[in-house]
Amino acid sequence: MLESYAALIVDLKNSRSYSHEDRNLIQYFIAETIHVLNRIYHDNIVREVDFSAGDEIQGLFRSPDAAYTYYRILSMLLHPIKTRAGIGVGSWDVQLEHKGTTGQDGRAYHNARFAIENADEIEGYPILIYSESPTDMMINTVIGAAASITAKQTVNQNQIMLITELMFPIYSSCTYS
């Protein structure tokens, strides 16, 4: 059986509506933010999250839960900037050793592209997971509803949620016996 990975693709919503100055500042902030998150999630990342095209970023993770929590923290740190994201679960077929995430390919990447292209279209959710599994709909209902509510928070509410998430993460890489 092939090993399964999770590709994450994140895109800024309405990025063209920002002024040239604001867009540069936002991209600089995103670059700094993903640099820090890549260090924090190092053990769960196969290919570091990086810019792939314009204002789009992508990365490859060992599991969908790691990709989801990465996105969750990223979206809280970027708030009130709105994003949409797709997480694709599947194989990693083209593995170029000295290339970043944009040099890789496989079902995980294809499924992530499908997910992000359908984010906001299906049920209006800003994030979708696509693994070609019947459980996708149930998972997307839960995470999509939570993301929709989070997107409507005030800055203060978002900061409280971020602090809470950092103190009591929704996902931990610990194993339980």
Side-chain angles (χ1 to χ4, degrees):
M1 186 168 159
L2 288 174
E3 193 170 357
S4 189
Y5 297 89
L8 170 67
I9 301 175
V10 181
D11 185 42
L12 294 182
K13 287 185 182 179
N14 305 317
S15 61
R16 291 189 179 120
S17 67
Y18 295 110
S19 70
H20 180 68
E21 269 183 43
D22 286 346
R23 212 166 156 177
N24 282 337
L25 290 171
I26 289 168
Q27 288 216 351
Y28 178 78
F29 181 72
I30 291 171
E32 292 298 313
T33 303
I34 63 175
H35 175 72
V36 170
L37 289 176
N38 285 345
R39 289 177 44 209
I40 292 170
Y41 283 86
H42 182 267
D43 291 342
N44 293 306
I45 294 177
V46 180
R47 286 292 184 265
E48 285 192 342
V49 176
D50 202 359
F51 282 98
S52 56
D55 57 7
E56 184 178 276
I57 61 172
Q58 71 178 30
L60 187 66
F61 293 79
R62 297 188 191 292
S63 68
D65 46 352
Y68 172 69
T69 56
Y70 186 104
Y71 169 73
R72 213 172 126 76
I73 297 296
L74 177 67
S75 66
M76 283 187 260
L77 291 169
L78 297 180
H79 184 81
I81 298 166
K82 297 192 182 311
T83 60
R84 67 186 179 112
I87 297 174
V89 181
S91 60
W92 175 25
D93 303 323
V94 176
Q95 299 182 14
L96 300 176
E97 191 173 328
H98 299 293
K99 297 289 183 184
T101 187
T102 57
Q104 313 304 313
D105 197 16
R107 235 25 250 156
Y109 286 97
H110 299 280
N111 289 344
R113 180 62 54 198
F114 176 84
I116 195 167
E117 287 173 356
N118 287 283
D120 288 330
E121 301 298 321
I122 300 174
E123 304 295 329
Y125 298 149
I127 179 172
L128 288 179
I129 292 179
Y130 185 63
S131 67
E132 302 177 61
S133 166
T135 60
D136 287 350
M137 182 184 288
M138 181 180 61
I139 292 168
N140 285 321
T141 299
V142 173
I143 66 170
S148 294
I149 292 167
T150 302
K152 292 174 177 55
Q153 291 178 331
T154 66
V155 172
N156 287 340
Q157 289 170 327
N158 182 72
Q159 289 172 343
I160 290 168
M161 190 169 132
L162 178 59
I163 290 167
T164 304
E165 181 75 25
L166 293 174
M167 290 173 58
F168 306 102
I170 194 168
Y171 165 76
S172 172
S173 60
C174 301
T175 55
Y176 299 98
S177 340

